[in-house]
Amino acid sequence: MYQFSFQPYQRTFKQPLQTSHGTWKIREGIILSLTDNFGKTSWGEIAPISWFGSETFTQALNYCRQLPTEITTETIYSIPDLLPACQFGFESAIGANKNQNYNSLTYSGLLPAGKAALQQWGKLWAQDYRTFKWKIGVYPIAEELEIFAEFTHSLPALAKLRLDANGGLTYDEAKLWLYLCDRTKIIEFIEQPLGVEQLEQILELSKLYKTAIALDESVATFNQLQACYQEGWRGIFVIKPSIIGFPSRLREFCQKYNIDAVFSSAFETEIGRKAALNLAVELANPNRAVGFGIDNFLSPDTARI
Ligand code: MG
């Protein structure tokens, strides 16, 4: 039996996050606490991203509001699949957020969309980032290709660049990007070039070009992850633990199929971040940086509880 309480929070992005889905200015989430029969309290975080495929913040809040103040493990494991961020928040709270050693992890630094990226990568490089992620499919393709050309000339040979289209390219645009990526040596992969409903075309593109492709929106929740694997995806999987559902189910899946997994932030507070990084230490491909270099977008503050 646990005493359950929760507290919604809001955090404003230092610079709005622009993706092909639109502009994101405020992160809303919920910090929950569970106190067991011995009086020990542990915390979890619900950090939904509804435009990415999880429940909305309001759905998560309504779920918390209708729960009694005393809940059991059974309550937690009966959270429906429609509430994946809640599944994650509650199960990671009972898994007690251990402080693991994150020294084995390297981080990918997130750059803003458009030209601003050219001004910001140097600052991240100085902080020892060697992998960068740049959002594409936000501005007209001609403009982004020009910026990309500048990138390929200015980034040091040691750097790796990930391009994230957030499903915003047409098939022809994706082919053009992949063609150009094949001609440089700095691209680690291109993320979610086409929409979630276009898995077949993404599979096709993955056979036509050398540049690796990663699925992200397509595998936002556990059911989607399973479905894509079953439909034959063996490329890279970007996993946002905070919205994927129960950590135990993810762990079991990753261990069984040994997928090439890149773990990525959902812009959580320290509580969700720790829970997500604990899984990354255990399950991520150790040769790939984790997508948690987001200090340019949110201050690394601790949530008030
Ligand atoms: Mg992505």
Side-chain angles (χ1 to χ4, degrees):
M1 192 76 87
Y2 297 98
Q3 295 292 324
F4 163 62
S5 68
F6 65 97
Q7 179 69 54
Y9 70 81
Q10 278 197 347
R11 298 168 82 202
T12 307
F13 282 91
K14 284 194 244 177
Q15 55 179 338
L17 180 71
Q18 278 182 298
T19 75
S20 76
H21 299 279
T23 304
W24 194 12
K25 293 180 182 151
I26 297 172
R27 209 285 167 256
E28 288 183 297
I30 300 163
I31 303 296
L32 63 96
S33 79
L34 298 175
T35 305
D36 68 16
N37 295 336
F38 303 100
K40 186 177 169 279
T41 301
S42 53
W43 288 272
E45 177 171 356
I46 304 171
I49 315 180
S50 58
W51 49 265
F52 214 91
S54 83
E55 71 270 48
T56 64
F57 167 72
T58 310
Q59 285 170 320
L61 191 58
N62 288 340
Y63 177 76
C64 291
R65 282 185 174 146
Q66 58 78 46
L67 282 179
T69 51
E70 287 200 333
I71 65 166
T72 61
T73 319
E74 211 170 277
T75 320
I76 293 170
Y77 288 106
S78 49
I79 300 173
D81 285 344
L82 287 170
L83 301 171
C86 289
Q87 289 180 336
F88 180 83
F90 279 86
E91 200 196 19
S92 52
I94 55 168
N97 297 332
K98 296 162 278 177
N99 275 311
Q100 281 200 22
N101 183 349
Y102 303 130
N103 289 346
S104 62
L105 299 177
T106 57
Y107 294 79
S108 160
L110 182 59
L111 297 169
K115 272 197 205 108
L118 293 171
Q119 276 100 56
Q120 289 189 24
W121 74 262
K123 188 182 132 200
L124 292 175
W125 178 270
Q127 294 166 18
D128 286 337
Y129 285 98
R130 294 297 176 263
T131 303
F132 304 95
K133 177 152 115 177
W134 183 47
K135 298 285 188 184
I136 60 169
V138 177
Y139 295 100
I141 188 164
E143 221 174 288
E144 290 185 342
L145 290 177
E146 254 177 63
I147 302 166
F148 179 64
E150 269 191 62
F151 256 130
T152 56
H153 291 123
S154 54
L155 281 180
L158 272 176
K160 278 188 204 164
L161 183 64
R162 300 171 172 178
L163 302 179
D164 187 2
N166 285 107
L169 303 178
T170 65
Y171 190 75
D172 285 340
E173 286 172 344
K175 282 176 77 173
L176 180 53
W177 273 109
L178 283 160
Y179 170 84
L180 293 169
C181 288
D182 275 1
R183 267 148 195 77
T184 79
K185 290 198 173 75
I186 57 164
I187 299 298
E188 184 184 6
F189 56 76
I190 178 162
E191 205 169 302
Q192 199 71 40
L194 309 176
V196 169
E197 64 295 338
Q198 289 168 284
L199 181 64
E200 216 172 293
Q201 285 100 313
I202 302 179
L203 274 162
E204 205 173 277
L205 289 173
S206 72
K207 286 166 195 143
L208 291 174
Y209 298 91
K210 282 190 303 200
T211 301
I213 298 178
L215 296 183
D216 189 4
E217 278 88 338
S218 289
V219 294
T221 66
F222 185 77
N223 290 338
Q224 288 175 295
L225 172 66
Q226 256 185 329
C228 286
Y229 188 86
Q230 273 155 18
E231 281 169 54
W233 185 256
R234 296 296 180 272
I236 301 160
F237 295 82
V238 177
I239 308 283
K240 288 183 167 46
S242 288
I243 58 168
I244 205 143
F246 293 119
S248 55
R249 232 172 18 175
L250 175 68
R251 180 179 293 116
E252 199 186 317
F253 182 88
C254 289
Q255 286 170 348
K256 184 165 176 196
Y257 298 110
N258 197 21
I259 58 170
D260 185 351
V262 172
F263 277 59
S264 182
S265 162
F267 301 93
E268 310 85 352
T269 70
E270 279 305 305
I271 291 172
R273 183 184 172 93
K274 246 184 223 166
L277 287 176
N278 286 345
L279 284 167
V281 168
E282 209 184 322
L283 306 170
N285 178 341
N287 299 315
R288 298 194 189 278
V290 295
F292 281 83
I294 53 141
D295 294 357
N296 262 347
F297 291 86
L298 278 178
S299 309
D301 60 351
T302 310
R304 274 156 298 168
I305 300 155

